[in-house]
Amino acid sequence: MTPKPGRAAARAAALLALAALTGCGTTTTTTAAGPATGPTASATAAGSVVLDESADRTRITVAPGTVIRTELHSTYWSPATSTDPGLLAPTGQPSTAAAPSCRPGSGCGTVTTAFTARTAGTARLTAHRSSCGEARPCAPAQQDFTVDVDIAAG
């Protein structure tokens, strides 16, 4: 699906507003409005950030102590993992929740994983899927979810 004209500008404005709010320790949510380009959020004080598919291939900056939760909207996604658990540590166990009205094999539901930013540095969150529906392989651009996380010195 091709984004409508003006959608990118509206998304950019919304992301700037979210970035301004995160300095107060509020929760930032990146919604499933399509693939994002550019920064998603910047947090200067510990709080929480929720990322979904629209944050794919972006970079965020958070403070130590920030909780980052990935909510990927298909049960075909693997739970997200951190490339450096010493910097971006898993918090609890990943969870998968199928939607109540989901037909078997359709993959509707969410896969949620949480992480805590520990110390300054950079780590990457990644998840993978090979199926985008029952017997429907994903195109290469739809297979991987990655977000680079910069943890600012506290």
Side-chain angles (χ1 to χ4, degrees), residues 2 19 22-23 45 48 67 70-71 83 93 103 123 126:
T2 304
T22 56
S48 63
V67 174
T70 60
E71 289 183 359
T83 58
Q93 295 295 316
R103 292 180 316 185
T126 62

Side-chain angles (χ1 to χ4, degrees), residues 51-62:
L51 304 172
D52 68 7
E53 293 86 341
S54 67
D56 187 28
R57 296 180 289 243
T58 63
R59 177 178 295 274
I60 64 170
T61 301
V62 299

Side-chain angles (χ1 to χ4, degrees), residues 1-34:
M1 175 180 276
T2 304
K4 294 181 180 182
R7 187 176 189 140
R11 181 181 297 134
L15 292 174
L16 286 173
L18 289 172
L21 290 173
T22 56
C24 299
T26 60
T27 299
T28 299
T29 302
T30 301
T31 61

Side-chain angles (χ1 to χ4, degrees), residues 63-97:
T66 301
V67 174
I68 300 168
R69 193 172 75 230
T70 60
E71 289 183 359
L72 302 176
H73 295 90
S74 170
T75 58
Y76 293 124
W77 284 108
S78 67
T81 59
S82 169
T83 58
D84 191 337
L87 295 177
L88 198 54
T91 304
Q93 295 295 316
S95 65
T96 301

